Amino acid sequence: MRIGVLTGGGDCPGLNAVIRAVVRKGVAVHGFEFVGFRDGWKGPLEGLTMELGIAQVRGILPRGGTILGSSRTNPFKIEGGVERIKDNLAGAGVDALVAIGGEDTLGVATKLADLGVQVVGVPKTIDNDLSGTDFTFGFDTAVNIASEAIDRLHTTAESHHRALVVEVMGRHAGWIALHAGMSGGANVVLIPEVPFDIDEVCELVRKRFETQYAPIIVVAEGAVPREGGDMSLVSGEVDSFGHVRLGGIGDRVAAEIEQRTGAEARAVVLGHVQRGGTPSAFDRWLATRFGLHAIDAVAEQAFGTMVALRGADIVRVPLIEGTGELKLVSPAEYAEAEVFFG
């Protein structure tokens, strides 16, 4: 068999580990040939390919990003897109696809599987919001990066008696903010699932200053105030999957804190540093396991499925389970963590 591999959506640490595992086991155990599709769904859409074999995956295990490139291309938004993908797959002699991506990439894979394309999915996202799997690779690295940043910000905040607002990624789900905030000893964590009261935030800031310590506030990019309105949009730009570009909530919260409390406040936006660089050991391990099981699923013709972590086991679930709904932080989980804040 000749297998196509692509990575779509936002990049994250561990993508190369999946590619490496898929190719190494696919060649050594199953005797498959591989072709890499460049830049997500743009690759099969436009016939953009690269050679992909043992030589191409040597040394990429600790490397961040993806050697295949990525994009947010949605073929279902392009006239004749599905037909072009099918034609290009046939022209490249591709029998099946391994699609590595998050909600949007695997959403396309789900629709293509329904239309007869033989595809197996691998879940990735630093947001950890895919419902079909306990964890996605990339999340652990993002949390470690954010936690280290919070550790460093504590000392400078206390030296200058400032409130520091740390904006992390998380459009719909606050997993990064919650995990990094707890592990970094933040005083306030604001997530998209639980609208916040800015007055309550400011009161916690005042109490923290009263103890002679400077407060750290961690806010996910998609967090919104309880009183309504959207403090986080920086533009009306929408990508091909309908997502509005977010950012700026950290600056807005810092400005409100300074205005309402009189204390100096600054915002730090971690942005894409959370998704770049070397993957953690956990993410390398998880990504490698996903890759090994994904190519076995191809060999066993278990198409229309996604590999997933359930407990300690890697299992196969229908693609729709990974994209049907997002896995969000529940109010109960947030309330459980709140005891550590303040």
Side-chain angles (χ1 to χ4, degrees), residues 1-6 37 41 85-86 89 93-99 108-121 294 297-305 319:
M1 292 179 72
R2 184 169 169 83
I3 313 300
V5 182
L6 64 84
F37 283 102
W41 290 112
I85 284 180
K86 288 184 174 182
L89 291 178
V94 171
D95 301 297
L97 269 178
V98 175
V108 170
T110 302
K111 292 178 181 178
L112 290 175
D114 291 339
L115 296 173
V117 176
Q118 298 189 144
V119 59
V120 168
V298 171
E300 295 169 22
Q301 299 188 23
F303 302 119
T305 64
L319 271 169

Side-chain angles (χ1 to χ4, degrees), residues 17-297:
V18 179
I19 297 168
R20 173 179 176 269
V22 165
V23 172
R24 284 173 62 91
K25 187 170 187 179
V27 171
V29 176
H30 300 297
F32 294 156
E33 295 180 357
F34 289 89
V35 57
F37 283 102
R38 299 283 304 174
D39 302 335
W41 290 112
K42 185 178 181 181
L45 186 68
E46 300 184 7
L48 306 177
T49 64
M50 63 173 279
E51 187 176 355
L52 190 61
I54 297 295
Q56 285 71 39
V57 300
R58 285 199 178 104
I60 68 172
L61 179 63
R63 182 173 164 183
T66 164
I67 62 170
L68 295 177
S70 191
S71 74
R72 297 191 181 279
T73 302
N74 184 353
F76 286 91
K77 294 291 185 179
I78 298 172
E79 186 175 354
V82 174
E83 290 71 23
R84 286 166 59 185
I85 284 180
K86 288 184 174 182
D87 289 344
N88 286 329
L89 291 178
V94 171
D95 301 297
L97 269 178
V98 175
I100 311 165
E103 171 197 5
D104 296 326
T105 301
L106 296 184
V108 170
T110 302
K111 292 178 181 178
L112 290 175
D114 291 339
L115 296 173
V117 176
Q118 298 189 144
V119 59
V120 168
V122 177
K124 72 88 201 165
T125 169
I126 66 170
D127 291 333
N128 197 42
D129 59 359
L130 291 180
S131 58
T133 182
D134 290 349
F135 285 99
T136 52
F137 66 88
F139 173 68
D140 184 71
T141 304
V143 169
N144 285 338
I145 291 169
S147 298
E148 182 181 353
I150 294 168
D151 288 345
R152 293 175 181 275
L153 291 170
H154 272 292
T155 55
T156 186
E158 290 168 9
S159 296
H160 292 276
H161 312 292
R162 289 173 178 155
L164 287 182
V165 180
V166 186
E167 182 182 315
V168 300
M169 287 186 168
R171 173 182 296 275
H172 303 294
W175 294 110
I176 294 176
L178 187 63
H179 282 236
M182 289 186 68
S183 63
N187 309 105
V188 181
V189 173
L190 309 178
I191 62 174
E193 296 91 333
V194 183
F196 64 88
D197 186 324
I198 191 63
D199 288 327
E200 291 180 1
V201 172
C202 290
E203 183 59 28
L204 289 170
V205 166
R206 291 188 189 96
K207 288 181 178 179
R208 179 68 172 177
F209 275 124
E210 288 173 0
T211 65
Q212 305 303 310
Y213 287 98
I216 299 289
I217 299 92
V218 177
V219 54
E221 62 183 337
V224 293
R226 189 182 300 165
E227 56 268 28
D230 198 332
M231 298 170 65
S232 59
L233 299 185
V234 295
S235 76
E237 298 175 21
V238 178
D239 66 18
S240 61
F241 290 96
H243 298 312
V244 179
R245 182 184 174 192
L246 293 182
I249 185 65
D251 286 323
R252 292 291 300 276
V253 169
E256 291 289 333
I257 289 173
E258 191 162 294
Q259 178 183 345
R260 293 168 185 247
T261 68
E264 190 176 4
R266 293 285 188 274
V268 178
V269 181
L270 296 186
H272 288 75
V273 70
Q274 296 160 91
R275 66 196 314 156
T278 302
S280 67
F282 178 86
D283 280 339
R284 298 185 204 189
W285 168 83
L286 180 58
T288 297
R289 291 188 72 195
F290 275 167
L292 297 175
H293 282 263
I295 200 61
D296 284 344

Side-chain angles (χ1 to χ4, degrees), residues 276-340:
T278 302
S280 67
F282 178 86
D283 280 339
R284 298 185 204 189
W285 168 83
L286 180 58
T288 297
R289 291 188 72 195
F290 275 167
L292 297 175
H293 282 263
I295 200 61
D296 284 344
V298 171
E300 295 169 22
Q301 299 188 23
F303 302 119
T305 64
M306 178 189 88
V307 293
L309 179 68
R310 297 282 178 87
D313 299 323
I314 305 295
V315 300
R316 298 172 192 167
V317 300
L319 271 169
I320 191 63
E321 283 194 26
T323 59
E325 61 179 334
L326 293 177
K327 179 179 66 182
L328 304 177
V329 178
S330 70
E333 288 171 297
Y334 184 72
E336 184 180 74
E338 276 189 303
V339 69
F340 292 102

